[in-house]
Amino acid sequence: GVSAGAISVFFPETLLPDQLPLYAKEFAGATSGTVSVVLRPTDAGRTGYGAQWKDFTERFVSALSTSVSRVDVPMPVEFDSQGMAQPTPLFPVLRTLAGAVAGSSYAGRLSIGEGIEAHLFRRGEVGTLIFWSTVDTTSGPVRAEVHLGGRPVLLDLFGEATEVPVAGGRVSVPAYEMPQILAGVDAELC
């Protein structure tokens, strides 16, 4: 085993979201110290930006669902010919995800509809739900039915907000293959 102290584990972009918790658990069991994870995004030039954003979000959420103490991500910037850092299209995605879960703790997976992966993060009594469809949505979205209170706001990965009408403490939101964030929910009701 590894002695007490902090260890940082680099998980390559080829590691699938479902594999990440297994490896993180193995490393956490090998030390009495803390474990942090370094996530590197896939190459958008190879996969396309949409696939990069979806994969990164799923691996980011997967990493947060484990017992690791920290998730580190290389700053998503490129340098221009003058040496100036320019944000890549992943930058706003990372900003949105980090802002959505900042100060939160992972509360678990939720069942909110057939073919939907959903994860709840809590900050006191306020919850943030990150969810996506696990089935093909080219012919239309899957509906996520969520019992919640509060004043939820639906965010896309770029932070664009849409208010969600609540009827009787329940909302119905579309779930697509691209992850979305439902912020400001009552974590006690989820």
Side-chain angles (χ1 to χ4, degrees):
V2 177
S3 64
I7 62 171
S8 184
V9 181
F10 169 76
F11 286 136
E13 63 274 14
T14 55
L15 189 67
L16 300 175
D18 291 343
Q19 296 173 319
L20 201 143
L22 303 172
Y23 285 101
K25 183 177 180 180
E26 187 174 319
F27 281 104
T31 181
S32 58
T34 60
V35 176
S36 66
V37 170
V38 179
L39 289 181
R40 202 169 118 201
T42 57
D43 178 10
R46 191 172 39 83
T47 64
Y49 287 117
Q52 180 193 50
W53 303 331
K54 178 178 173 13
D55 174 76
F56 180 79
T57 301
E58 291 178 11
R59 289 189 304 119
F60 183 77
V61 168
S62 185
L64 292 173
S65 75
T66 69
S67 59
V68 300
S69 58
R70 196 172 84 196
V71 177
D72 294 321
V73 179
M75 186 61 72
V77 296
E78 294 173 340
F79 293 91
D80 63 19
S81 60
Q82 286 84 34
M84 299 294 294
Q86 300 296 322
T88 69
L90 182 62
F91 191 91
V93 173
L94 177 58
R95 180 198 63 218
T96 300
L97 290 169
V101 301
S104 298
S105 59
Y106 182 75
R109 278 185 162 168
L110 293 183
S111 176
I112 63 171
E114 187 75 27
I116 299 173
E117 179 88 12
H119 297 266
L120 178 66
F121 296 85
R122 291 180 72 120
R123 186 180 313 122
E125 293 179 9
V126 178
T128 298
L129 195 62
I130 300 178
F131 66 99
W132 58 88
S133 172
T134 59
V135 297
D136 182 14
T137 59
T138 53
S139 62
V142 178
R143 299 303 297 183
E145 302 292 331
V146 186
H147 294 280
L148 45 86
R151 301 191 71 174
V153 174
L154 186 64
L155 301 169
D156 67 15
L157 291 179
F158 293 94
E160 292 293 322
T162 305
E163 282 198 41
V164 180
V166 178
R170 182 185 182 101
V171 298
S172 176
V173 292
Y176 299 95
E177 292 172 74
M178 188 62 68
Q180 298 178 90
I181 301 163
L182 193 57
V185 302
D186 185 336
E188 300 296 322
L189 294 176
C190 287

